[in-house]
């Protein structure tokens, strides 16, 4: 298995389920994958475990990897023990933080019911999460003109209005939005504006 693992390989390494949150902003991750057992997700949500979860607390306060068996013992709600009843007996949590000015963090938890994760598996999962974190990094090559146009799209302005306000032709606005879409990997101007907003660029 390589760092270019996909969902299928991750499922093999985390047969009891996994959770990935990429580039957590002020409140929400840019991308989230929750493949944990549905019964556990319901139990976890109903009991409002998020604030007390030692796994989440570790992920927000540290960088690197931690097997659940090595987590600090502060678990007043016995969340880790309860997770075992849902087949998640062994787990590893990985937290990535690149020290960028926007201070975004990504983390993932991977679980299995049969045995501890080997050092090699932990390395593979860390490489996978690091790659996904880097892939979702905001582009740095958008020009001021492109960001200006995207900001106006976000405000609901039409092409004609944007062109008038910027004192340029509609063709020039179209070109700026086309460039921005390309750089952001977006299909539409609205999608590009949403992405730029999520990245904190506009």
């Amino acid at each position: 298995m390589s760092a270019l693992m996909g969902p299928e390989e991750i499922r093999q390494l985390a047969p009891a389920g996994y959770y990935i949150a990429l580039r957590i902003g002020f409140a929400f991750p840019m991308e989230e994958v929750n493949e944990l057992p549905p019964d556990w997700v319901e139990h976890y949500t109903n009991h409002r475990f998020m604030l007390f979860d030692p796994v989440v607390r570790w992920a927000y306060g540290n960088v690197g990897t931690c097997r659940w068996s090595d987590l600090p013992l502060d678990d007043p709600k016995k969340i880790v023990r309860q997770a075992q009843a849902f087949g998640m007996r062994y787990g590893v949590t990985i937290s990535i933080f690149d020290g960028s000015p926007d201070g975004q963090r990504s983390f993932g938890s991977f679980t299995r019911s049969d045995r501890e994760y080997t050092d090699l598996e932990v390395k593979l999962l860390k490489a996978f999460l690091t790659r996904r974190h880097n892939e979702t990094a905001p582009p740095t090559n958008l020009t001021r003109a492109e960001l200006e146009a995207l900001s106006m799209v976000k405000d609901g302005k039409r092409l004609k209005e944007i062109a008038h306000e910027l004192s340029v032709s509609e063709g020039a606005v179209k070109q700026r939005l086309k460039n921005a879409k390309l750089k952001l990997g977006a299909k539409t101007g609205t999608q590009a504006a949403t992405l730029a907003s999520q990245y904190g660029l506009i």
Side-chain angles (χ1 to χ4, degrees), residues 72-132:
L73 288 172
D74 184 23
D75 186 5
K77 302 263 183 191
K78 307 281 184 285
I79 296 167
V80 174
R81 191 192 297 165
Q82 289 186 56
Q84 293 179 358
F86 291 82
M88 299 178 288
R89 294 187 63 78
Y90 303 95
V92 63
T93 294
I94 298 159
S95 184
I96 310 285
F97 182 72
D98 53 22
S100 57
D102 60 0
Q104 287 184 334
R105 178 183 296 273
S106 295
F107 73 85
S109 282
F110 307 88
T111 71
R112 50 190 315 135
S113 58
D114 52 351
R115 59 170 174 78
E116 284 281 17
Y117 280 91
T118 66
D119 289 350
L120 176 61
E121 287 168 339
V122 172
K123 266 192 190 140
L124 285 169
L125 289 167
K126 186 180 180 197
F128 165 76
L129 194 67
T130 303
R131 177 174 63 85
R132 294 294 293 118

Side-chain angles (χ1 to χ4, degrees), residues 172-197:
V173 175
K174 274 185 189 164
Q175 190 57 50
R176 287 174 193 184
L177 292 174
K178 186 181 167 187
N179 293 345
K181 283 188 293 191
L182 204 63
K183 290 172 186 179
L184 287 157
K187 289 183 172 64
T188 66
T190 308
Q191 191 189 10
T194 304
L195 281 168
S197 179

Side-chain angles (χ1 to χ4, degrees), residues 19-22 28-35 50 107 132:
Y19 173 83
I20 296 169
L22 296 170
F28 302 104
M30 226 188 102
E31 194 179 313
E32 189 176 33
V33 180
N34 192 341
E35 290 288 337
M50 183 81 165
F107 73 85
R132 294 294 293 118

Side-chain angles (χ1 to χ4, degrees), residues 56-76:
V56 173
R57 283 216 307 269
W58 184 90
Y60 273 95
N62 298 274
V63 174
T65 65
C66 182
R67 287 180 180 85
W68 290 4
S69 54
D70 295 330
L71 280 168
L73 288 172
D74 184 23
D75 186 5

